Amino acid sequence: MSINGKAYIVGAFEHPTRKAPDKSVAQLHAECAAGAIADAGLTKNDIDAYYCAGDAPGSGVLNMSNYMGLRLKHMDATDCGGTSYLVHVNHAAQAIAMGKISIALITLSGRPRSEGSSGTVVRSRGTGVPDEPFEIPYGPVTVNMYAMCAMRHMHQFGTTSEQLAWVKVAASHHAQYNPNAVLQEVVTVKEVIDSPMISDPLHRLDCCVVSDGGGALIVARPEIAKSLKRPLVKILGAAEAPKHQMGGKVDLTYSAAKWTGPRAFEEAKVKPADIKYASIYDSFTITVIMQLEDLGFCKKGEGGKFVSDGNLISGTGKLPFNTDGGGLCNNHPANRGGITKVIEAVRQLRGEAHPKVQVKNCNLALAHGTGGSLGTRHGGATVIMERE
C-alpha cells in the first residue's frame, strides 16, 4: 500500500537543551512530546498511537505511554538505532493509510553527554548479537568502524580529507545561526584537517558532537492535518532497509540508502534533482558522502567532489543540507539523531528555519537516517516530504 499523500506531519519539536544533568530520560521524552503536541495544536488525549525506540527507558513504549498517560490503539517499539524514528514515520503513515490510527506520536531522548558516553569505547550489545563473540576480541569502536569506510572510500575513489572536511564546514556555516547548537563557530577546511586525528583518516572535527536532548513528531490523517492551523507537510514516500555483513561479502563503499533511496523516490514520484533540501544523517563526515551517493544525488565515488567548495551550504550550494547544524555541530541526542533530520526538514518546508539558512521556495525535502554502524551492520530509512 502506497502512503503517498495519506499522512501528514503536523507537529515537530526539538528539545533546546544540550546538557541535562537535572533531568531523567523519561522527562526529556515527555517534554519533547508536549512540545510536538503543542506545535500541532492538539492535546495529549488526541494521540492514539505511540512510537519509540531503544533510547526510551525500561520497556520503552509500555513505560513511556504509562508515564505520559497515553491511551493507545497502536504502539511500535521498532529499534534500528539512529534511523528508528524515520522508520517510525513510515510505520505511522502506513497505519494511518490502513485506517488503524488517526494521530501518532514519535519521540526520542537521551543523556549521553551527561552520562559521559562517546564513540571511542568498544561497542558491545551483549551476547544476544550473533556475530559479537567473533568481533569483540578485535575491540570494535564506533569511530573505527566509520574510519574503515572512509579509508576504503579514499582508496577506491580517491576521496580526500579536504573533501570530507567540506561537510563539516557546511554544517558549521549553518550552526552559527542556531543558538542551541553545541558548536556554533564557523570552521575552515584547514581547521578540520588540523584537528586531532581520532581514527585515521577521521579527525576530531569529522565526528559528530555528543549531546543530551531529543525531539518529537506528530503524524496525522489528512483530514486532521487540514483542520489544524499549521502549514501542511505531506509525506510522499518512505522506505527502510538493513545492510549487514552478508556472510562475509562486505563492501564498505555503500550504505542501506542504496535500497531505500530508489524505493522512496519511486513511491514519491519525484527524483533526486527535484529535492530542494536534504537532511542527511551526519554521525561522521564520511556518512554524509556515502549516503548522498547512494540516494542518487551524485554517482558512486563522486560524493567527495559533490560536497566540495560549499555545495551543501544554504544560499550558495546546489543541495542545502542540515541547516540546523546537524549532528556534526548542533546535536546528536541519545547518540542517535535521526528524528532531528525530519524535524529540520519540516521546518524548511514550513518556512520556519532560521532566515539566514531558509531555502528559497522549499517545497520538497528529503530526510535520511542511518542506525548502527556503516562498517558492520546498520539500518537505513528515507522519508520524502512536500509542502502542500
Side-chain angles (χ1 to χ4, degrees):
M1 174 183 290
S2 173
I3 62 171
N4 189 318
K6 296 178 181 176
Y8 288 68
I9 297 177
V10 300
F13 177 81
E14 179 185 356
H15 206 291
T17 190
R18 298 296 178 263
K19 190 172 184 180
D22 59 334
K23 296 180 184 290
S24 68
V25 173
Q27 275 181 284
L28 291 171
H29 272 274
E31 289 175 8
C32 289
I37 291 169
D39 178 68
L42 297 167
T43 72
K44 181 187 70 173
N45 294 334
D46 295 318
I47 305 298
D48 63 357
Y50 177 49
Y51 299 70
C52 64
D55 59 281
S59 301
V61 69
L62 299 180
N63 281 358
M64 285 308 307
S65 60
N66 173 63
Y67 183 80
M68 294 189 288
L70 300 176
R71 301 185 63 171
L72 306 173
K73 294 195 296 187
H74 190 271
M75 52 190 177
D76 188 335
T78 299
D79 188 6
C80 305
T83 197
S84 302
Y85 320 91
L86 288 94
V87 171
H88 292 165
V89 170
N90 188 20
H91 289 186
Q94 291 171 354
I96 289 170
M98 293 172 65
K100 295 286 187 181
I101 63 172
S102 295
I103 303 173
L105 165 68
I106 304 166
T107 65
L108 168 147
S109 289
R111 301 174 63 253
R113 186 176 179 188
S114 291
E115 295 168 1
S117 174
S118 76
T120 57
V121 295
V122 175
R123 295 176 66 92
S124 177
R125 302 180 184 85
T127 55
V129 178
D131 297 336
E132 195 166 70
F134 302 97
E135 298 172 355
I136 289 301
Y138 296 95
V141 172
T142 300
V143 65
N144 292 353
M145 299 295 100
Y146 284 78
M148 287 198 307
C149 295
M151 188 65 82
R152 182 63 197 180
H153 208 274
M154 288 177 164
H155 170 77
Q156 191 154 334
F157 303 117
T159 308
T160 67
S161 290
E162 288 81 4
Q163 290 172 333
L164 291 177
W166 271 109
V167 179
K168 181 75 166 196
V169 170
S172 74
H173 272 267
H174 299 149
Q176 68 177 312
Y177 302 113
N178 184 347
N180 296 321
V182 173
L183 303 178
Q184 297 179 19
E185 292 186 6
V186 175
V187 298
T188 65
V189 169
K190 185 177 186 301
E191 287 172 329
V192 177
I193 295 173
D194 287 347
S195 65
M197 185 71 73
I198 303 299
S199 182
D200 192 14
L202 297 180
H203 302 81
R204 183 168 65 196
L205 293 182
D206 284 300
C207 307
C208 67
V209 300
V210 177
S211 71
D212 300 346
L217 297 164
I218 307 289
V219 185
R221 290 191 290 119
E223 314 90 84
I224 293 172
K226 293 172 183 179
S227 72
L228 301 172
K229 297 177 181 180
R230 302 298 285 127
L232 293 171
V233 176
K234 179 166 60 178
I235 300 171
L236 294 184
E240 59 200 62
K243 185 199 172 190
H244 42 75
Q245 294 174 311
M246 300 171 288
K249 297 178 181 178
V250 182
D251 184 342
L252 297 177
T253 63
Y254 69 90
S255 70
K258 174 181 179 180
W259 300 297
T260 65
R263 293 206 300 264
F265 279 114
E266 181 180 8
E267 183 173 45
K269 295 180 172 56
V270 299
K271 54 187 183 300
D274 298 324
I275 299 296
K276 299 290 184 62
Y277 166 79
S279 280
I280 306 293
Y281 200 93
D282 55 344
S283 48
F284 299 89
T285 51
I286 184 60
T287 319
V288 175
I289 286 176
M290 287 174 57
Q291 290 172 120
L292 287 171
E293 293 172 345
D294 297 332
L295 289 167
F297 290 108
C298 59
K299 294 180 180 178
K300 176 54 64 178
E302 296 183 2
K305 181 180 178 181
F306 184 85
V307 304
S308 293
D309 301 323
N311 280 324
L312 299 180
I313 299 175
S314 183
T316 58
K318 54 189 173 185
L319 183 67
F321 103 122
N322 295 9
T323 45
D324 59 341
L328 286 169
C329 295
N330 176 26
N331 70 339
H332 195 228
N335 289 332
R336 40 167 75 202
I339 203 168
T340 61
K341 303 304 164 219
V342 183
I343 292 169
E344 184 65 8
V346 170
R347 289 192 194 112
Q348 281 287 349
L349 291 170
R350 288 175 167 180
E352 296 173 351
H354 191 284
K356 293 287 188 179
V357 298
Q358 176 65 52
V359 176
K360 187 177 181 180
N361 300 321
C362 186
N363 64 334
L364 200 60
L366 173 146
H368 181 81
T370 294
S373 168
L374 287 186
T376 51
R377 58 192 70 77
H378 68 272
T382 306
V383 178
I384 298 174
M385 295 153 278
E386 179 184 50
R387 182 187 67 221
E388 186 171 88

